[in-house]
């Protein structure tokens, strides 16, 4: 956009440069960056407030679009009036003063504001890809430790739910799951050392949400047990590359339904692990778990554990 303004100012007598300026002006990288930043902010908001408000966050952009559109339309009218471009006036009717007013209001001021906006964005918006990965990892840890609740009060009676393998592979206990930083994965649950990249529904339930990086999603049983299926360790840094999902958030799914495919080779090539971790986001509600048969080879859809929770 800044380059476009430069062409408008210094190449106004060259048709080719003006056409190039128009083309560059319509390549709106600023809007793309804004959308990506807002999307990344969803996990940050969940980490800080405990609530995941995707609809609210994503509604900000169209609201800003409408607001800025209204302001720009008003400014266009103001510039036209200030430059004498009203009524039946033609270009020949514009004085040198009118042209100067137009140049200042339509070119120089927007250019200065665009530069200031970039400076403010760079200096104030610190949610980089690396920072977002750190936020997601911290959020994962807090969810696994039950430090973030969704506000729904659990029923007092004890319930029982069977959890089935979401993938083919070898069962692992949580103590065997070591992340890329050499730390044990927090929380209660189990893991699978997969033999394929297909992820299936662990039970009948509802997809509650998916991380923006596509590497993890929460699924809730019909009787209220909340489970996150975390695909790979360190795979948050892939930013969704190599992940293909076949569901929508809020969708009701059945046990054994194919939900996700991920490129295990890509994860391993980048130095990450392909371990699939299944953990409870409200571990305090879990009263008892049947023993995990560590080392046992299972197929997706095969019963792994019985969980009693309240």
């Amino acid at each position: 956009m800044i380059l476009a303004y430069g062409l408008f100012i210094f190449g106004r007598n060259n048709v080719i440069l003006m056409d190039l300026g128009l083309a560059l002006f319509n390549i709106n990288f600023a809007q793309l960056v804004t959308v990506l930043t807002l999307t990344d902010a969803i996990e940050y908001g969940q980490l800080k407030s405990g609530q995941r408000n995707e609809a609210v966050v994503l509604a900000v952009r169209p609201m800003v679009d409408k607001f800025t559109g209204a302001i720009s339309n008003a400014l266009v009218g103001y510039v036209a009036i200030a430059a004498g471009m009203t009524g039946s006036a033609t270009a020949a009717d514009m004085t040198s003063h009118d042209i100067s007013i137009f140049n200042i209001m339509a070119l120089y001021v927007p250019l200065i504001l665009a530069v200031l906006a970039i400076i403010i964005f760079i200096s104030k918006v610190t949610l980089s890809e690396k920072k977002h990965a750190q936020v997601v990892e911290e959020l994962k840890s807090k969810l696994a430790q039950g430090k973030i609740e969704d506000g729904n009060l659990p029923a007092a009676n004890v319930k029982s739910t069977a959890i089935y393998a979401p993938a083919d592979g070898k069962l692992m206990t949580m103590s065997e799951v070591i992340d890329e930083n050499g730390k044990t994965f927090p929380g209660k649950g189990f893991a699978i050392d997969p033999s394929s990249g297909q992820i299936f529904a662990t039970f009948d339930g509802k997809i509650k949400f998916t991380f923006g990086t596509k590497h993890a999603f929460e699924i809730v049983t019909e009787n209220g047990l909340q489970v996150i299926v975390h695909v790979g360790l360190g795979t948050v840094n892939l930013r969704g590359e190599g992940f293909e999902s076949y569901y929508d958030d809020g969708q009701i799914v059945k046990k054994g339904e194919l939900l996700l495919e991920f490129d295990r080779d890509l994860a391993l090539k980048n130095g990450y692990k392909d371990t699939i971790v299944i953990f409870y986001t409200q571990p305090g509600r879990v009263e008892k778990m049947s023993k995990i048969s560590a080392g046992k080879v299972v197929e997706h859809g095969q019963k792994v554990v019985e969980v009693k929770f309240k």
Side-chain angles (χ1 to χ4, degrees):
M1 183 181 289
I2 292 177
L3 181 57
Y5 276 120
L7 291 174
F8 291 153
I9 293 172
F10 299 107
R12 67 186 66 184
N13 296 320
N14 188 309
V15 175
I16 295 177
L17 290 180
M18 292 298 288
D19 288 342
L20 178 60
L22 287 172
L24 292 173
F25 190 80
N26 285 286
I27 300 176
N28 199 341
F29 288 111
Q31 187 178 51
L32 177 60
V33 171
T34 301
V35 171
L36 292 175
T37 303
L38 284 173
T39 303
D40 287 350
I42 293 172
E43 277 82 29
Y44 181 79
Q46 185 179 9
L47 176 65
K48 293 299 182 181
S49 69
Q51 300 294 322
R52 189 177 181 87
N53 296 312
E54 294 185 19
V56 174
V57 173
L58 296 179
V60 171
R61 189 191 65 80
M63 181 188 71
V64 171
D65 285 347
K66 293 181 183 296
F67 182 69
T68 54
I71 292 178
S72 64
N73 288 336
L75 289 177
V76 167
Y78 174 77
V79 171
I81 294 173
M85 301 166 63
T86 58
S88 58
T90 64
D93 297 324
M94 294 183 67
T95 65
S96 58
H97 175 72
D98 293 336
I99 294 174
S100 296
I101 292 294
F102 178 83
N103 287 337
I104 292 172
M105 300 298 294
L107 298 177
Y108 298 119
V109 171
L111 176 59
I112 293 171
L113 292 177
V115 172
L116 287 175
I118 291 175
I119 293 173
I120 293 172
F121 185 88
I122 292 175
S123 61
K124 295 297 182 180
V125 179
T126 59
L127 192 57
S128 62
E129 289 188 4
K130 183 178 180 180
K131 177 66 175 178
H132 179 249
Q134 293 172 350
V135 167
V136 171
E137 287 299 294
E138 186 177 351
L139 176 61
K140 172 205 73 179
S141 296
K142 287 193 173 184
L143 285 169
Q145 296 172 52
K147 293 182 178 179
I148 296 180
E149 302 286 348
D150 68 356
N152 295 326
L153 294 175
N157 58 308
V158 176
K159 304 173 184 178
S160 180
T161 290
I163 298 181
Y164 301 85
D168 302 335
K170 185 171 64 174
L171 289 178
M172 302 170 62
T173 62
M174 293 295 278
S175 61
E176 296 177 284
V177 181
I178 308 298
D179 66 18
E180 71 279 8
N181 297 315
K183 297 180 180 179
T184 303
F185 202 99
K188 296 180 180 179
F190 64 93
I192 293 178
D193 181 9
S195 57
S196 75
Q198 293 184 314
I199 310 298
F200 301 83
T202 55
F203 41 67
D204 294 348
K206 180 179 181 179
I207 303 295
K208 190 172 182 182
F209 68 82
T210 304
F211 285 155
T213 44
K214 298 183 180 180
H215 75 295
F217 60 89
E218 183 175 79
I219 180 171
V220 185
T221 65
E222 294 174 336
N223 56 5
L225 181 65
Q226 298 175 190
V227 173
I228 281 186
V229 179
H230 191 283
V231 183
L233 302 176
T235 46
V236 60
N237 297 297
L238 292 176
R239 302 284 296 175
E241 183 182 359
F243 290 85
E244 182 71 28
S245 59
Y246 303 107
Y247 64 87
D248 296 314
D249 287 352
Q251 181 177 327
I252 303 297
V253 297
K254 294 294 184 181
K255 176 181 75 72
E257 184 176 339
L258 179 62
L259 300 180
L260 180 73
E261 288 185 295
F262 79 107
D263 190 336
R264 296 170 58 221
D265 292 334
L266 178 64
L268 296 172
K269 180 181 177 181
N270 282 275
Y272 309 127
K273 296 184 178 181
D274 60 356
T275 308
I276 300 167
V277 185
I278 299 87
F279 65 89
Y280 316 112
T281 60
Q282 296 177 322
R285 294 179 60 190
V286 177
E287 294 283 299
K288 185 179 180 181
M289 287 175 50
S290 58
K291 186 177 179 180
I292 302 297
S293 302
K296 179 181 178 181
V297 176
V298 295
E299 295 181 351
H300 70 273
Q302 187 173 339
K303 184 176 178 180
V304 174
V305 65
E306 188 79 22
V307 181
K308 293 186 182 298
F309 66 101
K310 61 181 180 180

